[in-house]
Amino acid sequence: MFIERMDISKFSRGQEVWMKDSLELGYNYFQNEDGSFAWQENFAYAVDKEALAHIRETSERLHKKCIKIVEMAISNPKVLSDFHIPHDMHQYIIQDWKRDYGRFLIGRFDFAWTPTGVKMIEYNADTPATIPESTRVLAKWGESVGVKLAGYTEDGRLTMDALATGLAKCLDGRIEKGNICHVMPYPDNVEDKTHAIYWGDALNMAGYKNVISELKDFNINYQSGKFMHHGLHVDACVRMYPWEFMLREPGRVNLYKNKCLFLNPAWTTLLSNKALLAILYGLYPDDPAILPAYFYKPDNMSQYAVKPIHSRGGENIILVDENGVEENSGSYNEYPVIYQERTNTRVIDENVSTSIGAWMVGNKFSGLTFREDKTNIVKNNSSVVPHYVF
């Protein structure tokens, strides 16, 4: 198995060209507020087919184990309590699982590469980011430079077709073809507005209409119990507003009465909750891809990451090793934490920490994305870097 970070600056389209191409693809948040780039093309990750097969098998195996933990939590109040879901929403999670247990749309494992294969850092199975970069932006890069890279193939890329197929499977039997599926981005978020456009395009490809709708414009029809948007019933909704927030909103009890199919469904909040990491290790300590993780810090644990169970984008992550403490600020410091054994994220290239994103659409591995950072914490503004399979 082989993954290498390659300097491909001599093949770069040039910053002005790729920025222009990106804007034409609707991808307009490629530069962070500090001037750094959320997408860059001076490096690319070369992945051999054996490594791709290993990531595929590992992703699908871990996904099955994660689903088994959801099944356990649904039937065991103690396990469900470990995820710190508000108690008055426990029955909603259970109800949602029983109604829509098979309608998992999309998730992204974040892996570290080691000499023996990948190690699971976490599972972003609720509103995962980097869809534009992983689909059309990467495809455009491949068109420009792929033929110049030895052995280049398009294998391992998430496609818009895969998203459309996933949507069609999830919506089948719930809304008729040609009807509306609403798309709800996170309020006042440029990145999520772009994601909403991409989801809208995928819905069109799947044979559905879409309406991009702001959270503030949703209300409740108290007679029918349905969500409404400008007078229209919301029968299905792809949302980017996280479940950990929705389940804590003042009006959350209204979720019980509505019949909207949310994608991903509410039970997937358990998959994006880092309590999952501790439960996974407790059940499957011999799985080579699962790092030791606990709800407490063992006395003999000297190199570890402290992670709030609802943290996103690397916020409030604390890394501890013999060199000291590295911490990222954020807004999740009031949540309970888990302790996960650290693994070296600089195996591919000691100059950067690399996060390998493995996309799951439904129950199938559906592509890769690579993100890197000069610090040891890969964040939501870290650079997405192209990759290719050879």
Side-chain angles (χ1 to χ4, degrees):
M1 296 187 295
F2 180 85
I3 298 179
E4 184 176 1
R5 183 175 183 256
M6 310 287 291
D7 184 341
I8 58 163
S9 53
K10 64 181 179 180
F11 298 132
S12 175
R13 291 176 282 174
Q15 184 173 306
E16 289 187 6
V17 174
W18 72 249
M19 288 174 67
K20 178 178 178 293
D21 288 346
S22 296
L23 291 171
E24 290 175 354
L25 296 172
Y27 174 57
N28 59 354
Y29 57 91
F30 45 72
Q31 190 164 18
N32 300 312
E33 291 183 1
D34 63 2
S36 62
F37 284 92
W39 169 269
Q40 63 91 1
E41 298 186 356
N42 289 331
F43 290 89
Y45 286 83
V47 182
D48 76 0
K49 291 181 180 178
E50 186 179 358
L52 179 65
H54 164 70
I55 295 170
R56 180 190 304 277
E57 185 278 327
T58 302
S59 301
E60 293 182 357
R61 182 183 77 242
L62 290 177
H63 179 76
K64 288 178 182 178
K65 290 180 176 180
C66 291
I67 294 297
K68 286 182 180 179
I69 289 174
V70 176
E71 292 174 344
M72 286 178 51
I74 294 303
S75 60
N76 187 331
K78 182 182 182 305
V79 177
L80 190 57
S81 295
D82 286 338
F83 291 89
H84 291 271
I85 305 298
H87 192 268
D88 62 351
M89 299 309 295
H90 282 199
Q91 285 303 312
Y92 177 66
I93 299 292
I94 295 170
Q95 168 187 302
D96 188 70
W97 167 261
K98 291 179 178 179
R99 183 179 66 179
D100 288 319
Y101 69 93
R103 299 180 192 269
F104 177 79
L105 175 58
I106 192 167
R108 193 194 71 236
F109 284 102
D110 286 346
F111 290 136
W113 184 255
T114 76
T116 59
V118 291
K119 301 290 185 184
M120 178 182 171
I121 302 299
E122 61 190 45
Y123 195 11
N124 299 292
D126 180 35
T127 70
T130 72
I131 286 173
E133 299 95 323
S134 303
T135 54
R136 288 173 174 162
V137 177
L138 179 61
K140 186 66 176 179
W141 171 82
E143 290 174 9
S144 302
V145 305
V147 295
K148 302 174 185 177
L149 300 172
Y152 172 91
T153 77
E154 289 188 343
D155 291 340
R157 175 169 61 82
L158 181 67
T159 66
M160 293 295 292
D161 285 340
L163 301 184
T165 299
L167 284 164
K169 289 181 178 178
C170 287
L171 295 172
D172 182 46
R174 289 298 296 269
I175 64 173
E176 293 183 5
K177 285 288 182 74
N179 284 3
I180 293 172
C181 178
H182 287 74
V183 183
M184 182 178 68
Y186 193 97
D188 302 317
N189 185 286
V190 173
E191 181 176 358
D192 273 3
K193 286 181 179 178
T194 304
H195 275 77
I197 293 169
Y198 272 60
W199 280 118
D201 288 350
L203 282 163
N204 293 341
M205 293 168 63
Y208 298 92
K209 298 177 183 176
N210 76 90
V211 173
I212 296 177
S213 45
E214 295 290 338
L215 178 64
K216 63 182 177 62
D217 294 327
F218 279 73
N219 53 53
I220 300 291
N221 181 322
Y222 289 101
Q223 185 173 357
S224 68
K226 286 191 173 185
F227 284 111
M228 306 290 293
H229 179 262
H230 293 316
L232 294 174
H233 281 140
V234 181
D235 296 315
C237 180
V238 178
R239 53 150 203 102
M240 281 138 271
Y241 190 60
W243 274 114
E244 64 261 25
F245 297 159
M246 288 182 68
L247 295 175
R248 289 172 170 80
E249 288 285 350
R252 61 185 180 268
V253 294
N254 293 308
L255 289 166
Y256 276 101
K257 293 180 65 179
N258 89 89
K259 296 178 176 62
C260 176
L261 170 63
F262 287 106
L263 296 174
N264 278 328
W267 58 264
T268 60
T269 190
L270 305 182
L271 300 180
S272 280
N273 187 310
K274 291 176 182 59
L276 177 77
L277 302 173
I279 298 172
L280 263 176
Y281 180 69
L283 290 173
Y284 306 107
D286 297 326
D287 190 305
I290 297 174
L291 290 167
Y294 309 89
F295 289 110
Y296 61 92
K297 189 182 82 63
D299 291 339
N300 62 349
M301 182 178 262
S302 59
Q303 299 189 73
Y304 55 91
V306 185
K307 299 181 175 183
I309 60 173
H310 289 310
S311 173
R312 289 173 178 265
E315 289 191 36
N316 298 104
I317 300 296
I318 302 172
L319 301 181
V320 179
D321 63 15
E322 67 275 6
N323 297 316
V325 177
E326 184 175 348
E327 184 173 1
N328 190 35
S329 62
S331 55
Y332 294 93
N333 55 0
E334 294 183 1
Y335 290 106
V337 301
I338 61 99
Y339 297 83
Q340 183 184 52
E341 182 180 282
R342 282 192 64 180
T343 189
N344 185 4
T345 55
R346 296 176 179 265
V347 169
I348 300 173
D349 188 324
E350 65 180 11
N351 295 304
V352 294
S353 294
T354 301
S355 175
I356 303 173
W359 289 101
M360 296 292 298
V361 177
N363 298 318
K364 299 295 183 182
F365 168 80
S366 298
L368 295 172
T369 191
F370 283 78
R371 203 167 206 168
E372 61 181 36
D373 200 283
K374 291 182 179 179
T375 74
N376 288 311
I377 301 175
V378 177
K379 301 173 278 292
N380 62 344
N381 60 356
S382 300
S383 294
V384 180
V385 180
H387 70 273
Y388 65 98
V389 177
F390 66 96

Coordinates of all heavy atoms in Angstrom, one line a residue, residues 12-25 27 30-31 37-42 137 140-141 144:
S12 N 0.8 23.0 -12.0 CA -0.3 23.9 -11.5 C -0.9 24.7 -12.6 O -0.2 25.2 -13.5 CB 0.1 24.8 -10.4 OG -0.9 25.6 -10.0
R13 N -2.2 24.9 -12.6 CA -2.9 25.7 -13.6 C -2.6 27.2 -13.4 O -2.8 28.0 -14.2 CB -4.4 25.6 -13.4 CG -5.0 24.3 -13.9 CD -6.5 24.2 -13.6 NE -6.8 23.9 -12.2 CZ -8.0 24.0 -11.7 NH1 -9.1 24.3 -12.5 NH2 -8.3 23.7 -10.5
G14 N -2.0 27.5 -12.2 CA -1.8 28.9 -11.8 C -3.0 29.4 -11.0 O -4.1 29.0 -11.3
Q15 N -2.7 30.2 -10.0 CA -3.7 30.6 -9.1 C -4.9 31.3 -9.7 O -6.0 31.1 -9.4 CB -3.1 31.5 -8.0 CG -4.0 32.0 -6.9 CD -3.3 32.7 -5.8 OE1 -2.3 32.2 -5.2 NE2 -3.7 33.9 -5.5
E16 N -4.6 32.2 -10.6 CA -5.6 33.0 -11.3 C -6.5 32.1 -12.1 O -7.8 32.3 -12.1 CB -5.0 34.1 -12.2 CG -4.4 35.2 -11.5 CD -3.9 36.4 -12.4 OE1 -4.3 36.3 -13.6 OE2 -3.3 37.3 -11.9
V17 N -6.0 31.1 -12.7 CA -6.8 30.2 -13.6 C -7.7 29.3 -12.7 O -8.9 29.2 -13.0 CB -5.8 29.3 -14.5 CG1 -6.7 28.3 -15.2 CG2 -5.1 30.2 -15.4
W18 N -7.1 28.7 -11.7 CA -7.9 27.8 -10.9 C -9.0 28.6 -10.1 O -10.1 28.1 -9.8 CB -7.1 26.8 -10.0 CG -6.4 27.3 -8.8 CD1 -5.0 27.4 -8.7 CD2 -6.9 27.7 -7.5 NE1 -4.7 27.8 -7.4 CE2 -5.8 28.0 -6.7 CE3 -8.2 27.8 -7.0 CZ2 -6.0 28.4 -5.4 CZ3 -8.4 28.2 -5.7 CH2 -7.3 28.5 -4.9
M19 N -8.7 29.8 -9.7 CA -9.7 30.6 -9.0 C -10.8 30.9 -9.9 O -12.0 30.9 -9.5 CB -9.0 31.9 -8.4 CG -8.1 31.6 -7.2 SD -7.2 33.1 -6.7 CE -8.5 34.1 -6.1
K20 N -10.5 31.3 -11.2 CA -11.5 31.6 -12.1 C -12.4 30.3 -12.4 O -13.6 30.4 -12.4 CB -10.9 32.1 -13.4 CG -11.9 32.3 -14.6 CD -11.2 32.9 -15.8 CE -12.1 33.1 -17.0 NZ -12.7 31.8 -17.5
D21 N -11.7 29.2 -12.6 CA -12.4 27.9 -12.8 C -13.3 27.6 -11.6 O -14.5 27.1 -11.8 CB -11.4 26.8 -13.0 CG -10.7 26.8 -14.3 OD1 -11.2 27.6 -15.2 OD2 -9.7 26.1 -14.5
S22 N -12.8 27.8 -10.4 CA -13.6 27.5 -9.2 C -14.9 28.4 -9.1 O -15.9 27.9 -8.8 CB -12.7 27.7 -8.0 OG -11.7 26.8 -7.9
L23 N -14.7 29.6 -9.4 CA -15.9 30.5 -9.3 C -16.9 30.1 -10.3 O -18.1 30.2 -10.1 CB -15.5 32.0 -9.6 CG -14.6 32.6 -8.5 CD1 -14.1 34.0 -9.0 CD2 -15.5 32.8 -7.2
E24 N -16.5 29.6 -11.5 CA -17.5 29.1 -12.5 C -18.2 27.9 -12.0 O -19.3 27.6 -12.5 CB -16.7 28.9 -13.8 CG -16.3 30.1 -14.5 CD -15.5 29.8 -15.8 OE1 -15.2 28.6 -16.0 OE2 -15.1 30.8 -16.5
L25 N -17.6 27.2 -11.1 CA -18.2 25.9 -10.5 C -19.0 26.3 -9.3 O -19.5 25.3 -8.7 CB -17.1 24.9 -10.2 CG -16.3 24.4 -11.4 CD1 -15.1 23.5 -10.9 CD2 -17.2 23.6 -12.3
Y27 N -17.8 27.5 -6.6 CA -17.0 27.3 -5.4 C -16.3 28.6 -5.1 O -15.3 29.0 -5.8 CB -16.0 26.2 -5.6 CG -15.0 26.0 -4.5 CD1 -15.3 25.7 -3.2 CD2 -13.6 26.0 -4.8 CE1 -14.4 25.5 -2.2 CE2 -12.6 25.8 -3.8 CZ -13.1 25.6 -2.5 OH -12.1 25.3 -1.5
F30 N -12.8 29.6 -1.3 CA -11.5 28.9 -1.4 C -10.4 29.7 -0.6 O -9.3 29.2 -0.4 CB -11.0 28.7 -2.8 CG -11.2 29.8 -3.7 CD1 -10.4 30.9 -3.7 CD2 -12.2 29.8 -4.7 CE1 -10.6 32.0 -4.5 CE2 -12.4 30.9 -5.6 CZ -11.6 32.0 -5.5
Q31 N -10.6 31.0 -0.2 CA -9.6 31.7 0.5 C -10.2 32.1 1.9 O -11.3 32.6 2.0 CB -9.2 33.0 -0.2 CG -8.0 33.7 0.3 CD -7.4 34.7 -0.6 OE1 -8.0 35.1 -1.6 NE2 -6.2 35.1 -0.3
F37 N -5.3 29.5 1.9 CA -6.3 29.0 0.9 C -6.9 27.7 1.4 O -6.2 26.8 1.9 CB -5.6 28.7 -0.4 CG -5.4 30.0 -1.2 CD1 -4.2 30.7 -1.1 CD2 -6.4 30.5 -2.0 CE1 -4.0 31.9 -1.8 CE2 -6.2 31.7 -2.7 CZ -5.0 32.4 -2.6
A38 N -8.2 27.5 1.3 CA -8.9 26.3 1.6 C -8.8 25.3 0.5 O -9.2 24.1 0.7 CB -10.4 26.6 1.9
W39 N -8.3 25.7 -0.6 CA -8.0 24.7 -1.7 C -6.6 25.2 -2.3 O -6.4 26.4 -2.4 CB -9.0 24.8 -2.8 CG -8.6 24.1 -4.1 CD1 -8.0 24.6 -5.2 CD2 -8.8 22.7 -4.4 NE1 -7.8 23.6 -6.1 CE2 -8.3 22.4 -5.7 CE3 -9.4 21.6 -3.7 CZ2 -8.3 21.2 -6.3 CZ3 -9.4 20.4 -4.3 CH2 -8.9 20.2 -5.6
Q40 N -5.7 24.2 -2.5 CA -4.4 24.6 -3.1 C -4.0 23.4 -4.0 O -4.3 22.3 -3.8 CB -3.4 25.0 -2.1 CG -3.0 23.9 -1.1 CD -1.8 23.0 -1.6 OE1 -1.3 23.3 -2.6 NE2 -1.4 22.0 -0.8
E41 N -3.2 23.8 -5.0 CA -2.8 22.8 -6.1 C -1.3 22.6 -6.3 O -0.9 22.0 -7.3 CB -3.4 23.2 -7.4 CG -4.9 23.3 -7.4 CD -5.5 23.5 -8.8 OE1 -4.7 23.8 -9.7 OE2 -6.7 23.5 -8.9
N42 N -0.5 23.0 -5.3 CA 1.0 22.8 -5.5 C 1.4 21.4 -5.1 O 2.5 21.0 -5.4 CB 1.7 23.9 -4.6 CG 1.6 25.3 -5.2 OD1 1.5 25.4 -6.4 ND2 1.7 26.3 -4.3
V137 N -14.7 20.5 -8.2 CA -13.4 21.2 -8.2 C -12.3 20.2 -8.4 O -11.4 20.5 -9.2 CB -13.2 21.9 -6.8 CG1 -11.8 22.6 -6.8 CG2 -14.3 23.0 -6.6
K140 N -12.3 19.1 -12.1 CA -11.8 20.2 -13.0 C -10.3 20.2 -12.9 O -9.6 20.3 -13.9 CB -12.3 21.6 -12.6 CG -11.9 22.7 -13.5 CD -12.5 22.5 -14.9 CE -12.2 23.7 -15.8 NZ -12.8 23.5 -17.2
W141 N -9.7 20.0 -11.7 CA -8.3 19.9 -11.6 C -7.8 18.7 -12.4 O -6.8 18.8 -13.1 CB -7.9 19.7 -10.1 CG -6.5 19.4 -9.9 CD1 -5.4 20.2 -9.9 CD2 -5.9 18.0 -9.7 NE1 -4.2 19.5 -9.7 CE2 -4.5 18.2 -9.6 CE3 -6.5 16.8 -9.6 CZ2 -3.7 17.1 -9.4 CZ3 -5.7 15.7 -9.4 CH2 -4.3 15.8 -9.3
S144 N -7.4 19.2 -16.0 CA -6.3 20.1 -16.3 C -4.9 19.5 -16.3 O -4.1 19.8 -17.1 CB -6.3 21.4 -15.4 OG -7.6 22.0 -15.5

